Amino acid sequence: MPEIQKNLDVFKSVIIKENEIGLLMENGQFKKILQPGKYTFWSLRAERKVHILDTFSTELAEFWAVILLKKRPAEAAKLFEVVETGADQIALLYQDNKPVMLLKPWQKKYFWKMRHTIDVEYISIQTGKVLSEEYRTVMEQIRPESMVVSQTIGASHIGLMYIDDQFDRVLYPGVYSFWKNEGKISFERYDCLNRASNGLLEKQAKELLAHAPDEADKLLEVVTTKESQVAVVSWDEKPFLVLKPWQTKYYFKKLSNVHVDYITIATGQEVPKEYRAVLEKLDTGQLVQSLTIAHFHTGLMFVDGKLVRELKPGAYSFWQNEGQVAFQIIDLRPQQLEVTAQEILTKDKISLRVTLSAFMTVRDACKTVESSVDHNEHLYRLVQFAVREAVGNRSLDEVLGSREKVDSQIVNHVREHMGDIGISLEGLGIKDIILPGEMRDMLNKVVMAEKTAQANLIRRREETAATRSLLNTAKLMDGSPTLMRLKELETLEKLTEKVGRIDLHAGDKGGLDALLSGLLKSEKSE
């Protein structure tokens, strides 16, 4: 509280105002109370001091209050009010009928009552005890620190209150205020209309079931699955969650319709059609295994490594609980297998690189999978061995000259050693034979020489035939002057084809008529 201290010399005057009182101290000892007025003191033999206290303020310092209560108890009772609280008790102080202060447990304070009307209301409290509406209004005016905890629960929410981390009660929509003494008060709120935040944790749910079973039965939908059982949880008729076996979830059902469908499952069992579309939209983790098999394919399903079913084209979904479900999809269309760049020595020690093409079709997928780890690799190795045997036992000329026989031997070898593994070999043959560079050049020269010799032979045959034809023509012309004349005219015709213009000169014998007459006479004489 504000305090004024004045030292007095030999003679000193002190004025105490209307809203003050003075405490006279002589040599450090309290002597008397000074009411408002003017005072003069003689302080030659003793040291005197006056402490002036403001009585218009609310609170009195404890030091002066203790001195007054000890030295002047009767006067002290008139000057100020002593307020003291015990355990689990608070004091609500009213000044002139207005709440101004709240004292916590184990507190002691002193309040002036000379200028104000002081009233004190003692209240027994306990942490978590609800404030009445009357006290809530008072607390909102004085706002005591850490003595009152307030919480508002919205219209679509449910609240859980904890004291020292122990469940205390359920809070329905509304405004709450609680006394807080020594314990810790905490709250958890859940939106009953929000699916994401609706789920209650197991610890809180068990506490609610244990301490408030009747309320828990009204508020909670407990979803528990057993072995080989799942639950599809629907929220207002809309599925939103799938529970796996041995799971428990808690949901508030007060403001929403929570529906649960329990389904008995087994690993490898097909999901019912009515749940397939629902489960595709939900997060099932590894609980459901789905696949789609296209046309011209077949699917094989394995449970814990064992082949249990062949699947035709279509969409499928299967439960996967404790076992492991796996699928293998096989293409049933004809497939091409390339066996490339096989390095092989012929019988005459010539290195070749051979490439082959094989065409196969899977006829029985189950038998194919049971008979070989990888049917493509299996066929690849058989073709390798077959081509090495067929080419290695022949010379280069035999390989190049009898391709059909080589292909036939390779096909027979593969079919004989492949056995019945569910695969049909549609075709197999050599695609390319690649010779070394030097050998390829030599072979090209041989082929060129052969073709040159064949060309020369054909040319000579044609020349001989032409000569024989000329001889026969000459013999005919020698015995027939007319044929000779026709040949001359034919030759003349060929010559005139290359001439643009022909000029005939008759000379002095009478012109063109005389020339034509001469030609006709010449023909008649012949």
Side-chain angles (χ1 to χ4, degrees):
M1 302 299 293
E3 176 184 316
I4 302 174
Q5 179 178 315
K6 298 181 178 179
N7 293 322
L8 305 178
D9 295 326
V10 177
F11 291 100
K12 187 67 176 179
S13 296
V14 176
I15 298 175
I16 298 176
K17 298 177 183 179
E18 188 65 26
N19 61 336
E20 298 175 339
I21 65 170
L23 301 182
L24 178 61
M25 307 294 291
E26 186 176 305
N27 295 327
Q29 299 296 320
F30 173 77
K31 286 298 183 181
K32 62 185 296 186
I33 297 175
L34 303 178
Q35 296 296 331
K38 183 177 180 181
Y39 299 89
T40 302
F41 298 94
W42 170 264
S43 58
L44 183 60
R45 296 180 179 178
E47 181 184 0
R48 292 185 175 93
K49 292 182 181 179
V50 176
H51 294 274
I52 299 177
L53 305 177
D54 184 5
T55 61
F56 198 75
S57 62
T58 302
E59 191 173 347
L60 172 62
E62 183 179 8
F63 176 79
W64 302 115
V66 172
I67 292 176
L68 291 174
L69 287 171
K70 184 177 179 181
K71 300 294 185 178
R72 301 289 191 272
E75 293 181 76
K78 297 177 182 179
L79 292 173
F80 56 85
E81 184 78 25
V82 181
V83 181
E84 184 175 7
T85 58
D88 298 326
Q89 186 183 56
I90 62 172
L92 186 58
L93 181 68
Y94 293 84
Q95 187 181 67
D96 298 331
N97 296 323
K98 293 181 180 180
V100 294
M101 187 178 296
L102 179 73
L103 270 68
K104 301 178 183 180
W106 301 115
Q107 279 192 324
K108 190 175 183 180
K109 288 186 178 294
Y110 310 88
F111 302 95
W112 294 110
K113 59 182 181 180
M114 296 172 62
R115 301 289 185 267
H116 304 282
T117 301
I118 300 296
D119 294 308
V120 181
E121 182 179 1
Y122 291 93
I123 306 171
S124 297
I125 68 167
Q126 185 178 3
T127 297
K129 185 178 179 181
V130 180
L131 273 72
S132 65
E133 187 66 29
E134 175 187 358
Y135 287 129
R136 186 188 305 163
T137 305
V138 172
M139 293 303 126
E140 289 177 355
Q141 297 178 22
I142 62 176
R143 300 185 180 276
E145 296 182 359
S146 70
M147 287 302 300
V148 176
V149 177
S150 298
Q151 182 69 24
T152 300
I153 306 299
S156 64
H157 292 70
I158 291 292
L160 301 182
M161 176 176 163
Y162 296 85
I163 298 178
D164 293 332
D165 297 327
Q166 297 297 318
F167 174 80
D168 182 71
R169 70 188 71 186
V170 177
L171 302 180
Y172 295 95
V175 179
Y176 298 87
S177 294
F178 303 94
W179 294 113
K180 180 177 178 295
N181 188 8
E182 296 180 352
K184 181 184 75 171
I185 298 178
S186 58
F187 303 92
E188 291 184 4
R189 291 187 299 174
Y190 299 89
D191 188 350
C192 297
L193 296 181
N194 187 350
R195 288 181 294 179
S197 63
N198 179 272
L200 190 60
L201 297 178
E202 183 176 5
K203 177 179 178 294
Q204 289 85 337
K206 287 184 176 179
E207 289 177 345
L208 181 58
L209 290 167
H211 295 90
D214 294 336
E215 289 186 280
D217 185 59
K218 297 177 183 178
L219 293 173
L220 293 182
E221 179 72 34
V222 182
V223 184
T224 301
T225 56
K226 301 177 182 178
E227 183 182 8
S228 302
Q229 187 182 60
V230 298
V232 179
V233 183
S234 299
W235 180 284
D236 290 336
E237 300 182 357
K238 295 181 180 179
F240 81 99
L241 183 68
V242 177
L243 265 68
K244 300 178 182 179
W246 300 117
Q247 281 191 321
T248 300
K249 294 285 186 180
Y250 308 87
Y251 300 95
F252 287 110
K253 61 181 180 180
K254 184 174 179 60
L255 300 178
S256 302
N257 179 23
V258 179
H259 178 73
V260 183
D261 289 324
Y262 292 96
I263 308 171
T264 301
I265 67 171
T267 298
Q269 179 184 5
E270 192 167 358
V271 176
K273 292 183 179 180
E274 59 268 25
Y275 291 109
R276 189 179 301 167
V278 172
L279 295 174
E280 287 178 355
K281 300 177 182 179
L282 302 178
D283 181 13
T284 59
Q286 299 297 319
L287 184 63
V288 177
Q289 296 293 321
S290 301
L291 82 158
T292 300
I293 301 174
H295 287 294
F296 310 110
H297 292 74
T298 188
L300 303 179
M301 186 175 78
F302 300 84
V303 176
D304 294 332
K306 181 180 179 181
L307 178 62
V308 297
R309 183 176 174 182
E310 183 174 358
L311 306 174
K312 296 180 180 180
Y316 298 88
S317 293
F318 298 92
W319 296 111
Q320 180 177 261
N321 187 13
E322 296 180 351
Q324 182 69 32
V325 178
F327 304 97
Q328 183 175 350
I329 298 178
I330 297 177
D331 194 339
L332 299 180
R333 294 172 294 184
Q335 302 175 49
Q336 180 179 355
L337 179 66
E338 292 286 333
V339 183
T340 59
Q342 300 298 305
E343 294 280 352
I344 305 173
L345 281 176
T346 63
K347 188 176 181 180
D348 48 359
K349 307 303 181 183
I350 297 175
S351 176
L352 304 178
R353 284 198 301 171
V354 181
T355 298
L356 302 96
S357 292
F359 299 90
M360 63 175 179
T361 303
V362 177
R363 299 296 183 189
D364 188 338
C366 293
K367 184 175 290 185
T368 299
V369 171
E370 292 175 348
S371 302
S372 63
V373 177
D374 186 341
H375 60 276
N376 287 324
E377 183 67 19
H378 181 69
L379 181 60
Y380 187 93
R381 297 304 177 192
L382 287 177
V383 173
Q384 274 189 320
F385 294 139
V387 69
R388 291 180 184 279
E389 180 178 342
V391 174
N393 293 328
R394 286 180 170 83
S395 65
L396 177 61
D397 293 338
E398 291 174 338
V399 172
L400 298 177
S402 56
R403 288 276 294 272
E404 293 182 358
K405 291 182 179 179
V406 174
D407 290 344
S408 178
Q409 181 179 343
I410 294 173
V411 170
N412 293 334
H413 182 278
V414 171
R415 286 176 175 168
E416 179 182 354
H417 291 82
M418 183 172 63
D420 186 9
I421 62 171
I423 295 177
S424 174
L425 184 63
E426 306 294 341
L428 174 62
I430 295 177
K431 181 179 178 182
D432 297 309
I433 298 177
I434 302 174
L435 297 170
E438 296 179 357
M439 182 59 66
R440 184 168 56 249
D441 294 340
M442 293 175 61
L443 186 60
N444 288 337
K445 291 178 181 179
V446 170
V447 172
M448 185 178 296
E450 290 178 352
K451 296 303 179 182
T452 301
Q454 291 177 1
N456 291 333
L457 178 61
I458 293 171
R459 187 167 55 253
R460 293 190 186 97
R461 288 175 182 173
E462 292 296 329
E463 291 175 353
T464 301
T467 303
R468 186 178 293 112
S469 176
L470 288 174
L471 178 61
N472 293 333
T473 301
K475 289 181 179 180
L476 291 173
M477 291 173 63
D478 184 52
S480 175
T482 302
L483 184 60
M484 175 65 77
R485 185 62 179 168
L486 287 173
K487 187 65 176 175
E488 290 176 354
L489 292 174
E490 181 182 352
T491 303
L492 180 62
E493 181 183 7
K494 289 181 179 180
L495 290 173
T496 58
E497 286 178 355
K498 299 181 180 180
V499 177
R501 190 174 103 181
I502 300 176
D503 294 328
L504 298 176
H505 298 278
D508 298 331
K509 296 182 179 182
L512 180 61
D513 293 337
L515 179 62
L516 294 174
S517 298
L519 290 172
L520 291 173
K521 290 178 180 181
S522 176
E523 290 178 356
K524 289 179 179 180
S525 64
E526 291 177 357

